[in-house]
Amino acid sequence: MGMLRPATPAECGALWPAARAAHLFRDAPAFEAFHAAAPWRVQVASGGRAAVVERWRDHLDMLAIRALWAGDRDVGALLGELAALARVHGYGRLLSPLVPRDIAGPYERGGMRVHQSIIALRIDARHAVHAAASPVPGVRLRSASPNDLLALCEIDERCFDPFWAYESRRIAGAMVTERLALAEDLTSGTPRLIGYTTCTVERGSGTLGRLAVDPRDRGRGVGALLLADALVSMADRGAGTISLCTQEDNAPSRALYSRGGLRELPGRLLFLAGDV
């Protein structure tokens, strides 16, 4: 007998405190709308076991487990059920939540393998308010508008591999729910988008979600300029600490964040993946 089944609206409501603690949704109405649009994406079982899943990226056939609440002994069985669920809905791969390396064992025993190794970084906002970067000649920063969507999608595709690249709906959503700042090059007469950041502040914690610089414009100081702007913005909006994540093998990003005053936290976080 299967353990998981789609949550009812009442069960979804009961799960909201855990989803809120995991920072899965900005508020309860957003979680309710997510569930109402496709109830199968919120799965529950007896004993408080539950999972929230959704497509990882529109251009990939990967179902992501955004959160899984279960004891270690149950993870393997639940992964099997979620893999079956992924197959039913046309996905070819299952992606784990982001989990610390030292508790990834149940996922590996469930047949998943490390897909990405991630480093978390943090800075005290009291130090972030002093963040500064040298001006970049011919470059200005400004807020994004809906008219920038196409250019943002193009630069995002140039900056990230398919696993990390955003689709247009996700970038459009960030314009509504996050602070999205652009860097433009003005040297050719016509402004050209060359980079952007997204960031949020929630309950006193700031998160840098995205920092992208066109590969053709790297090495000019644009990344440092965008980073400093985002850090100061989050500090000004009441963040006590500011965090971000980057890939362990992304040496240029790690160096940029280190120069910006962020410190790498001990340990590693992992995305694991498996075929379904």
Short mmCIF file of all heavy atoms in Angstrom, two decimals, residues 45-112:
data_model
loop_
_atom_site.label_atom_id
_atom_site.label_comp_id
_atom_site.label_asym_id
_atom_site.label_seq_id
_atom_site.Cartn_x
_atom_site.Cartn_y
_atom_site.Cartn_z
N ALA A 45 1.38 11.66 4.17
CA ALA A 45 1.20 10.28 4.65
C ALA A 45 1.00 10.36 6.15
O ALA A 45 1.12 11.43 6.77
CB ALA A 45 2.40 9.41 4.29
N SER A 46 0.73 9.24 6.76
CA SER A 46 0.54 9.21 8.20
C SER A 46 1.83 9.54 8.92
O SER A 46 2.93 9.46 8.36
CB SER A 46 0.04 7.82 8.62
OG SER A 46 1.02 6.84 8.28
N GLY A 47 1.70 9.91 10.18
CA GLY A 47 2.88 10.17 11.01
C GLY A 47 3.61 11.45 10.68
O GLY A 47 4.79 11.58 11.02
N GLY A 48 2.96 12.38 10.00
CA GLY A 48 3.59 13.65 9.69
C GLY A 48 4.50 13.63 8.49
O GLY A 48 5.16 14.64 8.19
N ARG A 49 4.56 12.52 7.77
CA ARG A 49 5.41 12.46 6.58
C ARG A 49 4.75 13.23 5.44
O ARG A 49 3.54 13.13 5.22
CB ARG A 49 5.65 11.00 6.18
CG ARG A 49 6.52 10.24 7.18
CD ARG A 49 6.45 8.75 7.00
NE ARG A 49 5.11 8.25 7.31
CZ ARG A 49 4.80 6.97 7.36
NH1 ARG A 49 5.73 6.06 7.11
NH2 ARG A 49 3.57 6.58 7.66
N ALA A 50 5.55 13.97 4.70
CA ALA A 50 4.98 14.80 3.64
C ALA A 50 6.09 15.20 2.67
O ALA A 50 7.29 15.14 3.00
CB ALA A 50 4.31 16.04 4.21
N ALA A 51 5.67 15.63 1.48
CA ALA A 51 6.62 16.10 0.48
C ALA A 51 5.95 17.17 -0.37
O ALA A 51 4.74 17.13 -0.62
CB ALA A 51 7.10 14.95 -0.42
N VAL A 52 6.75 18.13 -0.80
CA VAL A 52 6.32 19.13 -1.77
C VAL A 52 7.22 18.99 -2.98
O VAL A 52 8.46 19.00 -2.84
CB VAL A 52 6.40 20.55 -1.19
CG1 VAL A 52 6.05 21.59 -2.26
CG2 VAL A 52 5.47 20.70 0.01
N VAL A 53 6.62 18.85 -4.17
CA VAL A 53 7.40 18.64 -5.38
C VAL A 53 6.93 19.62 -6.46
O VAL A 53 5.79 20.10 -6.43
CB VAL A 53 7.26 17.20 -5.91
CG1 VAL A 53 7.77 16.20 -4.89
CG2 VAL A 53 5.81 16.87 -6.30
N GLU A 54 7.80 19.91 -7.42
CA GLU A 54 7.43 20.68 -8.60
C GLU A 54 8.51 20.52 -9.66
O GLU A 54 9.63 20.08 -9.36
CB GLU A 54 7.22 22.16 -8.27
CG GLU A 54 8.46 22.93 -7.93
CD GLU A 54 8.18 24.43 -7.83
OE1 GLU A 54 7.22 24.93 -8.47
OE2 GLU A 54 8.92 25.12 -7.10
N ARG A 55 8.19 20.91 -10.88
CA ARG A 55 9.18 20.85 -11.96
C ARG A 55 10.37 21.73 -11.59
O ARG A 55 10.20 22.86 -11.14
CB ARG A 55 8.56 21.31 -13.27
CG ARG A 55 9.55 21.29 -14.45
CD ARG A 55 8.90 21.83 -15.72
NE ARG A 55 7.96 20.88 -16.27
CZ ARG A 55 8.27 19.89 -17.10
NH1 ARG A 55 9.54 19.70 -17.44
NH2 ARG A 55 7.35 19.07 -17.57
N TRP A 56 11.58 21.23 -11.83
CA TRP A 56 12.78 21.99 -11.51
C TRP A 56 12.95 23.16 -12.48
O TRP A 56 13.12 24.30 -12.07
CB TRP A 56 14.00 21.08 -11.51
CG TRP A 56 15.30 21.80 -11.37
CD1 TRP A 56 16.28 21.96 -12.31
CD2 TRP A 56 15.79 22.48 -10.19
NE1 TRP A 56 17.33 22.70 -11.82
CE2 TRP A 56 17.05 23.02 -10.51
CE3 TRP A 56 15.28 22.67 -8.91
CZ2 TRP A 56 17.81 23.75 -9.60
CZ3 TRP A 56 16.03 23.40 -7.99
CH2 TRP A 56 17.28 23.93 -8.35
N ARG A 57 12.94 22.87 -13.76
CA ARG A 57 13.02 23.88 -14.81
C ARG A 57 12.11 23.45 -15.96
O ARG A 57 12.01 22.25 -16.25
CB ARG A 57 14.45 24.07 -15.33
CG ARG A 57 15.45 24.58 -14.30
CD ARG A 57 15.20 26.03 -13.93
NE ARG A 57 16.25 26.57 -13.09
CZ ARG A 57 16.24 26.58 -11.76
NH1 ARG A 57 15.19 26.06 -11.10
NH2 ARG A 57 17.23 27.11 -11.08
N ASP A 58 11.50 24.41 -16.62
CA ASP A 58 10.58 24.07 -17.70
C ASP A 58 11.26 23.31 -18.83
O ASP A 58 10.62 22.51 -19.52
CB ASP A 58 9.94 25.35 -18.27
CG ASP A 58 8.92 25.97 -17.33
OD1 ASP A 58 8.61 25.34 -16.29
OD2 ASP A 58 8.44 27.08 -17.63
N HIS A 59 12.55 23.55 -19.04
CA HIS A 59 13.26 22.92 -20.16
C HIS A 59 13.91 21.59 -19.76
O HIS A 59 14.62 21.00 -20.59
CB HIS A 59 14.32 23.88 -20.72
CG HIS A 59 15.23 24.44 -19.66
ND1 HIS A 59 14.95 25.58 -18.95
CD2 HIS A 59 16.44 24.02 -19.19
CE1 HIS A 59 15.92 25.84 -18.09
NE2 HIS A 59 16.84 24.89 -18.22
N LEU A 60 13.69 21.13 -18.54
CA LEU A 60 14.27 19.85 -18.09
C LEU A 60 13.16 18.92 -17.61
O LEU A 60 12.19 19.36 -17.01
CB LEU A 60 15.26 20.09 -16.95
CG LEU A 60 16.50 20.92 -17.26
CD1 LEU A 60 17.33 21.14 -16.00
CD2 LEU A 60 17.34 20.28 -18.35
N ASP A 61 13.32 17.63 -17.87
CA ASP A 61 12.32 16.65 -17.41
C ASP A 61 12.67 16.15 -16.02
O ASP A 61 12.76 14.94 -15.77
CB ASP A 61 12.18 15.49 -18.42
CG ASP A 61 13.39 14.58 -18.46
OD1 ASP A 61 14.49 15.05 -18.07
OD2 ASP A 61 13.24 13.41 -18.86
N MET A 62 12.84 17.06 -15.09
CA MET A 62 13.29 16.75 -13.74
C MET A 62 12.27 17.25 -12.74
O MET A 62 11.92 18.43 -12.72
CB MET A 62 14.66 17.41 -13.48
CG MET A 62 15.25 17.13 -12.12
SD MET A 62 16.93 17.84 -11.95
CE MET A 62 17.88 16.64 -12.90
N LEU A 63 11.76 16.33 -11.91
CA LEU A 63 10.85 16.70 -10.83
C LEU A 63 11.68 16.93 -9.57
O LEU A 63 12.40 16.04 -9.13
CB LEU A 63 9.82 15.60 -10.60
CG LEU A 63 8.76 15.92 -9.54
CD1 LEU A 63 7.85 17.05 -10.00
CD2 LEU A 63 7.94 14.68 -9.20
N ALA A 64 11.55 18.11 -8.98
CA ALA A 64 12.33 18.45 -7.80
C ALA A 64 11.51 18.23 -6.54
O ALA A 64 10.34 18.63 -6.48
CB ALA A 64 12.77 19.91 -7.88
N ILE A 65 12.12 17.61 -5.55
CA ILE A 65 11.52 17.52 -4.22
C ILE A 65 11.92 18.79 -3.48
O ILE A 65 13.07 18.94 -3.06
CB ILE A 65 12.03 16.28 -3.46
CG1 ILE A 65 11.84 15.01 -4.28
CG2 ILE A 65 11.32 16.16 -2.11
CD1 ILE A 65 12.54 13.80 -3.67
N ARG A 66 11.00 19.71 -3.33
CA ARG A 66 11.34 20.96 -2.66
C ARG A 66 11.52 20.75 -1.17
O ARG A 66 12.31 21.44 -0.53
CB ARG A 66 10.27 22.01 -2.94
CG ARG A 66 10.19 22.43 -4.40
CD ARG A 66 9.30 23.64 -4.59
NE ARG A 66 9.79 24.80 -3.84
CZ ARG A 66 9.14 25.95 -3.75
NH1 ARG A 66 7.97 26.09 -4.34
NH2 ARG A 66 9.64 26.96 -3.06
N ALA A 67 10.78 19.81 -0.60
CA ALA A 67 10.95 19.49 0.82
C ALA A 67 10.42 18.08 1.05
O ALA A 67 9.46 17.66 0.40
CB ALA A 67 10.21 20.48 1.71
N LEU A 68 11.06 17.37 1.97
CA LEU A 68 10.63 16.03 2.34
C LEU A 68 10.72 15.92 3.86
O LEU A 68 11.80 16.08 4.44
CB LEU A 68 11.51 14.97 1.68
CG LEU A 68 11.20 13.51 2.00
CD1 LEU A 68 9.79 13.15 1.52
CD2 LEU A 68 12.23 12.58 1.37
N TRP A 69 9.58 15.68 4.49
CA TRP A 69 9.54 15.53 5.94
C TRP A 69 9.32 14.06 6.26
O TRP A 69 8.23 13.50 6.04
CB TRP A 69 8.40 16.37 6.52
CG TRP A 69 8.62 17.85 6.36
CD1 TRP A 69 9.38 18.67 7.13
CD2 TRP A 69 8.06 18.70 5.35
NE1 TRP A 69 9.34 19.97 6.68
CE2 TRP A 69 8.53 20.02 5.59
CE3 TRP A 69 7.21 18.47 4.26
CZ2 TRP A 69 8.18 21.09 4.77
CZ3 TRP A 69 6.85 19.54 3.45
CH2 TRP A 69 7.34 20.84 3.71
N ALA A 70 10.38 13.40 6.73
CA ALA A 70 10.31 11.96 7.01
C ALA A 70 11.53 11.56 7.82
O ALA A 70 12.59 12.21 7.75
CB ALA A 70 10.26 11.16 5.72
N GLY A 71 11.40 10.49 8.58
CA GLY A 71 12.54 9.92 9.27
C GLY A 71 13.47 9.22 8.29
O GLY A 71 13.05 8.82 7.19
N ASP A 72 14.72 9.03 8.69
CA ASP A 72 15.69 8.41 7.80
C ASP A 72 15.22 7.06 7.28
O ASP A 72 15.45 6.72 6.11
CB ASP A 72 17.03 8.24 8.52
CG ASP A 72 17.77 9.56 8.72
OD1 ASP A 72 17.28 10.59 8.19
OD2 ASP A 72 18.81 9.55 9.40
N ARG A 73 14.55 6.26 8.13
CA ARG A 73 14.14 4.92 7.72
C ARG A 73 13.07 4.95 6.63
O ARG A 73 12.90 3.96 5.90
CB ARG A 73 13.63 4.13 8.92
CG ARG A 73 14.72 3.77 9.94
CD ARG A 73 14.14 3.00 11.10
NE ARG A 73 13.15 3.80 11.83
CZ ARG A 73 12.45 3.36 12.86
NH1 ARG A 73 12.62 2.10 13.28
NH2 ARG A 73 11.59 4.15 13.48
N ASP A 74 12.35 6.07 6.52
CA ASP A 74 11.27 6.16 5.54
C ASP A 74 11.69 6.78 4.22
O ASP A 74 10.95 6.70 3.23
CB ASP A 74 10.11 7.00 6.11
CG ASP A 74 9.46 6.34 7.31
OD1 ASP A 74 9.37 5.10 7.32
OD2 ASP A 74 9.02 7.08 8.22
N VAL A 75 12.87 7.40 4.19
CA VAL A 75 13.25 8.16 3.00
C VAL A 75 13.30 7.29 1.76
O VAL A 75 12.79 7.65 0.70
CB VAL A 75 14.60 8.89 3.23
CG1 VAL A 75 15.14 9.43 1.91
CG2 VAL A 75 14.43 10.02 4.22
N GLY A 76 13.92 6.10 1.86
CA GLY A 76 14.05 5.24 0.69
C GLY A 76 12.71 4.88 0.08
O GLY A 76 12.51 4.97 -1.14
N ALA A 77 11.76 4.47 0.92
CA ALA A 77 10.43 4.10 0.43
C ALA A 77 9.72 5.30 -0.19
O ALA A 77 9.07 5.19 -1.24
CB ALA A 77 9.59 3.51 1.56
N LEU A 78 9.84 6.45 0.45
CA LEU A 78 9.19 7.64 -0.08
C LEU A 78 9.82 8.08 -1.40
O LEU A 78 9.11 8.53 -2.31
CB LEU A 78 9.26 8.78 0.94
CG LEU A 78 8.47 8.55 2.23
CD1 LEU A 78 8.67 9.72 3.19
CD2 LEU A 78 6.98 8.38 1.94
N LEU A 79 11.12 7.93 -1.52
CA LEU A 79 11.76 8.25 -2.80
C LEU A 79 11.23 7.35 -3.91
O LEU A 79 11.02 7.80 -5.05
CB LEU A 79 13.28 8.11 -2.69
CG LEU A 79 14.01 9.16 -1.86
CD1 LEU A 79 15.51 8.83 -1.81
CD2 LEU A 79 13.80 10.55 -2.43
N GLY A 80 11.01 6.09 -3.60
CA GLY A 80 10.44 5.18 -4.59
C GLY A 80 9.05 5.64 -5.04
O GLY A 80 8.71 5.59 -6.22
N GLU A 81 8.25 6.08 -4.08
CA GLU A 81 6.91 6.56 -4.42
C GLU A 81 6.97 7.86 -5.22
O GLU A 81 6.19 8.07 -6.15
CB GLU A 81 6.09 6.75 -3.15
CG GLU A 81 5.76 5.44 -2.45
CD GLU A 81 4.66 5.63 -1.42
OE1 GLU A 81 3.70 6.37 -1.70
OE2 GLU A 81 4.79 5.05 -0.33
N LEU A 82 7.89 8.73 -4.84
CA LEU A 82 8.01 9.99 -5.58
C LEU A 82 8.56 9.76 -6.98
O LEU A 82 8.18 10.46 -7.92
CB LEU A 82 8.89 10.96 -4.80
CG LEU A 82 8.29 11.47 -3.49
CD1 LEU A 82 9.32 12.28 -2.71
CD2 LEU A 82 7.04 12.32 -3.75
N ALA A 83 9.43 8.77 -7.14
CA ALA A 83 9.90 8.42 -8.48
C ALA A 83 8.75 7.91 -9.33
O ALA A 83 8.63 8.26 -10.52
CB ALA A 83 11.02 7.38 -8.39
N ALA A 84 7.89 7.09 -8.75
CA ALA A 84 6.72 6.60 -9.48
C ALA A 84 5.80 7.76 -9.85
O ALA A 84 5.24 7.81 -10.96
CB ALA A 84 5.97 5.57 -8.64
N LEU A 85 5.64 8.70 -8.92
CA LEU A 85 4.82 9.88 -9.20
C LEU A 85 5.42 10.68 -10.34
O LEU A 85 4.69 11.18 -11.22
CB LEU A 85 4.74 10.73 -7.93
CG LEU A 85 3.84 11.96 -7.97
CD1 LEU A 85 2.38 11.56 -8.02
CD2 LEU A 85 4.10 12.85 -6.74
N ALA A 86 6.74 10.81 -10.34
CA ALA A 86 7.41 11.54 -11.42
C ALA A 86 7.16 10.87 -12.77
O ALA A 86 6.87 11.54 -13.77
CB ALA A 86 8.91 11.62 -11.14
N ARG A 87 7.24 9.55 -12.82
CA ARG A 87 6.99 8.84 -14.07
C ARG A 87 5.57 9.08 -14.57
O ARG A 87 5.36 9.32 -15.78
CB ARG A 87 7.23 7.33 -13.89
CG ARG A 87 8.67 6.93 -13.75
CD ARG A 87 8.84 5.43 -13.93
NE ARG A 87 8.11 4.66 -12.93
CZ ARG A 87 8.60 4.33 -11.73
NH1 ARG A 87 9.82 4.73 -11.38
NH2 ARG A 87 7.89 3.62 -10.88
N VAL A 88 4.61 9.01 -13.67
CA VAL A 88 3.21 9.21 -14.05
C VAL A 88 3.02 10.57 -14.71
O VAL A 88 2.24 10.72 -15.65
CB VAL A 88 2.29 9.07 -12.82
CG1 VAL A 88 0.90 9.59 -13.11
CG2 VAL A 88 2.24 7.62 -12.37
N HIS A 89 3.76 11.56 -14.24
CA HIS A 89 3.59 12.92 -14.75
C HIS A 89 4.61 13.28 -15.83
O HIS A 89 4.75 14.45 -16.20
CB HIS A 89 3.65 13.92 -13.60
CG HIS A 89 2.44 13.85 -12.71
ND1 HIS A 89 1.26 14.51 -13.01
CD2 HIS A 89 2.21 13.16 -11.56
CE1 HIS A 89 0.36 14.25 -12.07
NE2 HIS A 89 0.91 13.43 -11.18
N GLY A 90 5.30 12.28 -16.36
CA GLY A 90 6.14 12.48 -17.53
C GLY A 90 7.56 12.94 -17.29
O GLY A 90 8.22 13.40 -18.22
N TYR A 91 8.05 12.79 -16.08
CA TYR A 91 9.43 13.20 -15.79
C TYR A 91 10.37 12.01 -15.90
O TYR A 91 9.98 10.87 -15.66
CB TYR A 91 9.52 13.78 -14.37
CG TYR A 91 8.75 15.06 -14.19
CD1 TYR A 91 7.43 15.04 -13.73
CD2 TYR A 91 9.32 16.29 -14.50
CE1 TYR A 91 6.71 16.21 -13.57
CE2 TYR A 91 8.60 17.46 -14.34
CZ TYR A 91 7.30 17.42 -13.88
OH TYR A 91 6.59 18.59 -13.73
N GLY A 92 11.63 12.31 -16.23
CA GLY A 92 12.62 11.26 -16.36
C GLY A 92 13.59 11.18 -15.21
O GLY A 92 14.29 10.17 -15.04
N ARG A 93 13.65 12.25 -14.38
CA ARG A 93 14.60 12.27 -13.27
C ARG A 93 13.94 12.89 -12.05
O ARG A 93 13.00 13.69 -12.16
CB ARG A 93 15.87 13.06 -13.62
CG ARG A 93 16.59 12.57 -14.87
CD ARG A 93 18.05 12.99 -14.85
NE ARG A 93 18.81 12.12 -13.96
CZ ARG A 93 20.02 12.41 -13.48
NH1 ARG A 93 20.59 13.57 -13.78
NH2 ARG A 93 20.66 11.57 -12.71
N LEU A 94 14.47 12.52 -10.88
CA LEU A 94 13.99 13.04 -9.61
C LEU A 94 15.16 13.73 -8.92
O LEU A 94 16.26 13.17 -8.84
CB LEU A 94 13.47 11.90 -8.74
CG LEU A 94 12.81 12.28 -7.41
CD1 LEU A 94 11.51 13.05 -7.65
CD2 LEU A 94 12.53 11.02 -6.58
N LEU A 95 14.93 14.93 -8.43
CA LEU A 95 15.96 15.73 -7.77
C LEU A 95 15.63 15.86 -6.29
O LEU A 95 14.49 16.16 -5.91
CB LEU A 95 16.02 17.13 -8.41
CG LEU A 95 17.09 18.09 -7.88
CD1 LEU A 95 18.48 17.62 -8.28
CD2 LEU A 95 16.84 19.51 -8.40
N SER A 96 16.63 15.68 -5.45
CA SER A 96 16.43 15.78 -4.00
C SER A 96 16.30 17.22 -3.57
O SER A 96 16.66 18.15 -4.31
CB SER A 96 17.62 15.15 -3.27
OG SER A 96 18.73 16.05 -3.27
N PRO A 97 15.85 17.44 -2.34
CA PRO A 97 16.02 18.78 -1.76
C PRO A 97 17.50 19.05 -1.57
O PRO A 97 18.34 18.15 -1.65
CB PRO A 97 15.30 18.69 -0.41
CG PRO A 97 14.57 17.38 -0.41
CD PRO A 97 15.24 16.50 -1.39
N LEU A 98 17.84 20.29 -1.26
CA LEU A 98 19.22 20.61 -0.92
C LEU A 98 19.45 20.15 0.52
O LEU A 98 18.83 20.65 1.45
CB LEU A 98 19.43 22.13 -1.05
CG LEU A 98 20.87 22.65 -1.03
CD1 LEU A 98 21.69 22.03 -2.14
CD2 LEU A 98 20.86 24.17 -1.14
N VAL A 99 20.35 19.17 0.68
CA VAL A 99 20.54 18.56 2.01
C VAL A 99 22.02 18.63 2.40
O VAL A 99 22.90 18.54 1.55
CB VAL A 99 20.07 17.09 2.04
CG1 VAL A 99 18.58 17.01 1.78
CG2 VAL A 99 20.83 16.24 1.02
N PRO A 100 22.31 18.78 3.69
CA PRO A 100 23.71 18.73 4.14
C PRO A 100 24.33 17.38 3.80
O PRO A 100 23.68 16.34 3.85
CB PRO A 100 23.59 18.92 5.66
CG PRO A 100 22.29 19.62 5.86
CD PRO A 100 21.38 19.08 4.80
N ARG A 101 25.61 17.42 3.48
CA ARG A 101 26.30 16.20 3.07
C ARG A 101 26.22 15.12 4.14
O ARG A 101 26.07 13.94 3.83
CB ARG A 101 27.76 16.52 2.76
CG ARG A 101 28.61 15.31 2.42
CD ARG A 101 30.00 15.72 1.96
NE ARG A 101 29.97 16.28 0.61
CZ ARG A 101 30.99 16.92 0.03
NH1 ARG A 101 32.11 17.11 0.72
NH2 ARG A 101 30.89 17.37 -1.19
N ASP A 102 26.27 15.52 5.42
CA ASP A 102 26.32 14.50 6.47
C ASP A 102 24.98 13.82 6.71
O ASP A 102 24.92 12.86 7.49
CB ASP A 102 26.87 15.09 7.77
CG ASP A 102 26.06 16.26 8.29
OD1 ASP A 102 25.06 16.63 7.65
OD2 ASP A 102 26.43 16.81 9.35
N ILE A 103 23.90 14.27 6.08
CA ILE A 103 22.63 13.55 6.21
C ILE A 103 22.10 13.10 4.86
O ILE A 103 20.91 12.82 4.70
CB ILE A 103 21.57 14.40 6.95
CG1 ILE A 103 21.22 15.66 6.15
CG2 ILE A 103 22.03 14.75 8.35
CD1 ILE A 103 20.02 16.40 6.73
N ALA A 104 23.01 13.02 3.87
CA ALA A 104 22.60 12.60 2.53
C ALA A 104 22.52 11.10 2.37
O ALA A 104 22.03 10.60 1.36
CB ALA A 104 23.58 13.17 1.49
N GLY A 105 22.98 10.35 3.38
CA GLY A 105 23.02 8.89 3.27
C GLY A 105 21.71 8.25 2.87
O GLY A 105 21.68 7.39 1.98
N PRO A 106 20.56 8.61 3.49
CA PRO A 106 19.30 7.97 3.12
C PRO A 106 18.94 8.18 1.64
O PRO A 106 18.33 7.30 1.03
CB PRO A 106 18.28 8.65 4.05
CG PRO A 106 19.08 9.05 5.24
CD PRO A 106 20.41 9.46 4.69
N TYR A 107 19.32 9.31 1.09
CA TYR A 107 19.05 9.56 -0.33
C TYR A 107 19.94 8.69 -1.21
O TYR A 107 19.50 8.15 -2.23
CB TYR A 107 19.26 11.04 -0.65
CG TYR A 107 18.22 11.94 -0.02
CD1 TYR A 107 18.40 12.45 1.26
CD2 TYR A 107 17.05 12.25 -0.70
CE1 TYR A 107 17.45 13.26 1.86
CE2 TYR A 107 16.09 13.06 -0.12
CZ TYR A 107 16.29 13.56 1.16
OH TYR A 107 15.33 14.36 1.73
N GLU A 108 21.20 8.54 -0.81
CA GLU A 108 22.10 7.68 -1.59
C GLU A 108 21.67 6.23 -1.49
O GLU A 108 21.71 5.50 -2.49
CB GLU A 108 23.53 7.88 -1.09
CG GLU A 108 24.07 9.27 -1.39
CD GLU A 108 25.48 9.49 -0.86
OE1 GLU A 108 25.71 9.21 0.33
OE2 GLU A 108 26.33 9.93 -1.64
N ARG A 109 21.24 5.79 -0.31
CA ARG A 109 20.75 4.43 -0.18
C ARG A 109 19.45 4.23 -0.95
O ARG A 109 19.12 3.10 -1.34
CB ARG A 109 20.56 4.07 1.30
CG ARG A 109 21.87 3.96 2.07
CD ARG A 109 21.67 3.37 3.45
NE ARG A 109 20.92 4.25 4.34
CZ ARG A 109 21.48 5.22 5.07
NH1 ARG A 109 22.78 5.45 5.00
NH2 ARG A 109 20.73 5.96 5.88
N GLY A 110 18.74 5.33 -1.20
CA GLY A 110 17.52 5.27 -2.00
C GLY A 110 17.77 5.32 -3.49
O GLY A 110 16.82 5.39 -4.28
N GLY A 111 19.05 5.30 -3.90
CA GLY A 111 19.39 5.23 -5.32
C GLY A 111 19.78 6.53 -5.97
O GLY A 111 20.04 6.56 -7.18
N MET A 112 19.86 7.60 -5.20
CA MET A 112 20.24 8.89 -5.78
C MET A 112 21.74 9.10 -5.67
O MET A 112 22.39 8.53 -4.79
CB MET A 112 19.49 10.04 -5.09
CG MET A 112 17.98 9.92 -5.13
SD MET A 112 17.13 11.37 -4.45
CE MET A 112 16.60 12.16 -5.96
#
